[in-house]
Amino acid sequence: MRMTLAVHPRQYSIHSFSPNAQIPSHVFTEKVYFIGKTEEGLTLVVPSELELDSLEQEMGWSCLEVLGPLGFSMTGILSKIASTLADAQISIFALSTFDTDYILVKKTCLQNAITALRKASYKIIESNEAP
């Protein structure tokens, strides 16, 4: 099966907070955001335009969405994409939802990521809708 990935037009930032930090309420008004919490910390991924007072932040991430929905019986999707990008020396930040996967790459690496994925027979399209 040939997988299709959509490039989102917005840039994202990855923020690190202490595990007990309160999530700023304006995060919840965004159309797209991701939250991950462990005993060690709280991570937020938000559009770069949203300024947060975090402990650390990584700016300038582009988002590739694996167009789904992807069933739970489908295996190896994220692994194959990650391997393809790793072979091209491109680091990723991977996120998953119930329906699909999102791969963030640094904006400076986006064109190389697209080239590597196309070479591996992935179809890459521009997202028609700003997330």
Side-chain angles (χ1 to χ4, degrees):
M1 171 169 60
R2 185 173 182 201
M3 298 297 304
T4 300
L5 290 91
V7 179
H8 286 225
R10 293 178 88 179
Q11 298 297 300
Y12 293 87
S13 298
I14 304 167
H15 294 267
S16 175
F17 295 88
S18 68
N20 298 331
Q22 295 292 333
I23 298 171
S25 61
H26 58 287
V27 167
F28 301 109
T29 64
E30 290 297 320
K31 190 172 179 183
V32 174
Y33 60 88
F34 292 90
I35 299 171
K37 184 175 184 208
T38 66
E39 291 179 12
E40 291 81 34
L42 172 68
T43 300
L44 299 181
V45 178
V46 297
S48 290
E49 307 87 51
L50 187 64
E51 293 186 22
L52 300 177
D53 185 20
S54 54
L55 298 173
E56 291 184 66
Q57 62 182 317
E58 268 289 322
M59 307 286 283
W61 291 85
S62 294
C63 180
L64 297 159
E65 175 184 355
V66 180
L67 296 184
L70 307 176
F72 284 106
S73 62
M74 298 175 77
T75 60
I77 294 168
L78 186 56
S79 173
K80 289 175 186 165
I81 293 169
S83 293
T84 298
L85 295 175
D87 289 346
Q89 302 298 306
I90 298 169
S91 295
I92 68 167
F93 189 88
L95 299 159
S96 295
T97 66
F98 192 89
D99 293 321
T100 195
D101 296 317
Y102 296 84
I103 296 88
L104 278 66
V105 299
K106 290 297 272 188
K107 179 180 174 39
T108 56
C109 297
L110 179 60
Q111 287 309 312
N112 289 341
I114 290 171
T115 299
L117 290 164
R118 283 186 173 146
K119 193 173 183 178
S121 299
Y122 289 92
K123 181 178 178 184
I124 310 296
I125 63 171
E126 297 293 323
S127 176
N128 293 332
E129 179 183 1

